């Protein structure tokens, strides 16, 4: 009966009125011939009672019977993780909070995010998108894990909601989207699922989209959800650990939707950026860690900001308990996350020397840039580290944020190129001589 009441009412008002005033309007319960409706806030309650009283009375008379009565209550969301729970009648009613599929962390803000060259474009993009909703749509953000995507998109959400508390904002992982889809499918409530995600939100942010690889049914539902929101002018943000073209087992039409707006990458942070982030963690915790310790940690944790922050928190905890903290202690308590030292001379380390010889930069080599020359320089670095300086492929992978198989493949590429190209072989002999001058003699 609840669905019948709403569908009948929907036929009696214009589409514009329904989407503007009734998008957050529900039948809470039917008690005999008395219908209790629920809306999102006190303003909606007053306006609907005043402007749509006659049409509501006519609707319930037709569906429930002559003499039917109604009342409208407005909702309190006690737990934002489960915004559909009914509120007991004895709970004091307050203004409804915005819809949050996944609660946002209030600590994630734009003003406490460390901005540097590696993440500046994405930061500026989301800040501008928050100030001018719908200007950039859709937005696809990708980076390696632990680079700050979650902080930025939640900062975006918190900013939007601070400007418009009634905004209907949905932030969830692809796994949550899939699990809810499956649950609604099994219970026969797919229309409820589609109504929520296609019509009852203003902003949809989906994180970790890569986990939907191979999930054809979920991708189809996501495709239609994407289209419905986009056509309605609603903001869509998708986050991933790889670019759209690198997503495997995704339908082409889904990939094309990801690429139709702005695609932005958070790159690998430089050592200086890692130091700034480590320093920010210490300042936020009002702790005192020597700069030489922070610089050592920033230099020896490659890439992952999440791992860096965890390591700094661990150091802060250690110092608060034991008082003393030096490099030797740091090496001991962070041995599982620190990369191995590569001996460096006054003229720089392996990566810097190879970068100069290939006319690129160390930061570009570490950033994951796909420029052909930079990619080759990166492979040469891996080759020398593994074959000439005895680092394990696992450690080299950590330095460059690459997988173990990727490092092995890079070494093989260099070896094959040396066999087939005499000029390249001569170039690497020159590189080796330069390394011997600054880094030390390599293994034969």
């Amino acid at each position: 009966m609840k669905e019948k009441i709403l569908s009948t009412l929907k036929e009696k008002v214009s589409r514009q009125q329904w989407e503007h005033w009734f998008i957050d309007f529900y039948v809470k319960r039917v008690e005999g011939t008395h219908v209790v409706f629920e809306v999102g806030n006190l303003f909606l309650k007053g306006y609907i009672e005043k402007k749509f009283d006659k049409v509501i009375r006519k609707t319930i008379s037709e569906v429930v019977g002559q003499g039917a009565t109604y009342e409208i209550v407005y909702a309190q969301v006690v737990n934002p993780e489960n915004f559909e729970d009914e509120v007991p009648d004895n709970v004091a009613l307050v203004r409804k909070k915005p819809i949050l599929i996944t609660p946002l962390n209030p600590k994630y803000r734009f003003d406490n995010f460390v901005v540097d060259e590696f993440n500046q474009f994405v930061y500026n993009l989301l800040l501008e998108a928050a100030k001018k909703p719908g200007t950039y749509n859709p937005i696809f953000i990708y980076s390696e894990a632990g680079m700050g995507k979650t902080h930025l998109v939640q900062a975006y959400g918190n900013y939007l909601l601070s400007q418009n508390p009634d905004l209907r904002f949905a932030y969830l992982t692809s796994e949550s989207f899939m699990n809810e889809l499956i649950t609604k499918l099994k219970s026969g409530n797919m229309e409820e699922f589609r109504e929520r995600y296609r019509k009852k939100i203003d902003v949809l942010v989906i994180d970790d989209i890569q986990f939907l690889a191979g999930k054809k049914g979920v991708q189809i539902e996501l495709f239609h959800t994407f289209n419905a929101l986009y056509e309605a002018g609603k903001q869509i943000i998708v986050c991933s650990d790889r670019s759209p073209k690198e997503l495997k087992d995704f339908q082409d039409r889904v990939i094309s939707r990801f690429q139709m707006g702005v695609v932005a990458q958070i790159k690998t942070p430089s050592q200086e950026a890692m130091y700034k982030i480590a320093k920010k963690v210490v300042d936020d915790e009002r702790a005192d860690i020597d700069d030489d310790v922070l610089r050592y940690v920033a230099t020896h944790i490659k890439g992952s900001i999440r791992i860096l922050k965890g390591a700094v928190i661990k150091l802060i905890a250690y110092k608060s308990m034991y008082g003393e903290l030096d490099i030797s202690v740091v090496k001991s308590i962070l041995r599982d996350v620190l990369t191995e030292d590569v001996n460096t001379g006054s003229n720089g380390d392996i990566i810097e020397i190879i970068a100069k010889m290939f006319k690129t930069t160390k930061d570009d080599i570490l950033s994951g840039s796909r420029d052909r020359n930079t990619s080759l320089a990166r492979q040469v670095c891996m080759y020398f580290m593994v074959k000439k300086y005895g680092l394990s492929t696992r450690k080299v992978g950590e330095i460059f944020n690459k997988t173990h198989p990727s490092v092995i493949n890079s070494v093989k590429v260099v070896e094959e190129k040396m066999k087939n190209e005499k000029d390249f072989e001569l170039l690497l002999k020159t590189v080796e001589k330069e390394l011997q001058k600054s880094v030390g003699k390599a293994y034969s």
Side-chain angles (χ1 to χ4, degrees), residues 220-273:
I220 291 172
E221 191 62 34
L222 177 65
F223 172 80
H224 292 298
T225 299
F226 194 107
N227 281 350
L229 291 174
Y230 183 80
E231 292 300 324
K234 307 301 184 183
Q235 181 70 58
I236 306 162
I237 299 177
V238 178
C239 297
S240 174
D241 69 351
R242 64 205 71 178
S243 68
K245 64 183 180 182
E246 292 176 311
L247 289 170
K248 305 298 182 184
D249 297 322
F250 271 78
Q251 295 181 18
D252 289 342
R253 61 178 181 173
V254 176
I255 298 297
S256 71
R257 293 302 183 274
F258 293 159
Q259 295 175 317
M260 67 192 291
V262 181
V263 177
Q265 178 188 16
I266 299 177
K267 299 179 181 179
T268 302
S270 64
Q271 289 180 7
E272 185 61 27

Side-chain angles (χ1 to χ4, degrees), residues 121-122 124-130 132 134-142 153 156 204-206 226 230 234-240 244 257-264:
F121 177 74
V122 176
N124 290 339
L125 172 66
L126 287 179
L127 183 58
E128 191 69 14
K132 300 176 183 178
T135 303
Y136 307 102
N137 197 31
I139 295 173
F140 188 101
I141 299 169
Y142 70 99
V153 295
Y156 165 83
L204 175 63
V205 180
I206 298 187
F226 194 107
Y230 183 80
K234 307 301 184 183
Q235 181 70 58
I236 306 162
I237 299 177
V238 178
C239 297
S240 174
R257 293 302 183 274
F258 293 159
Q259 295 175 317
M260 67 192 291
V262 181
V263 177

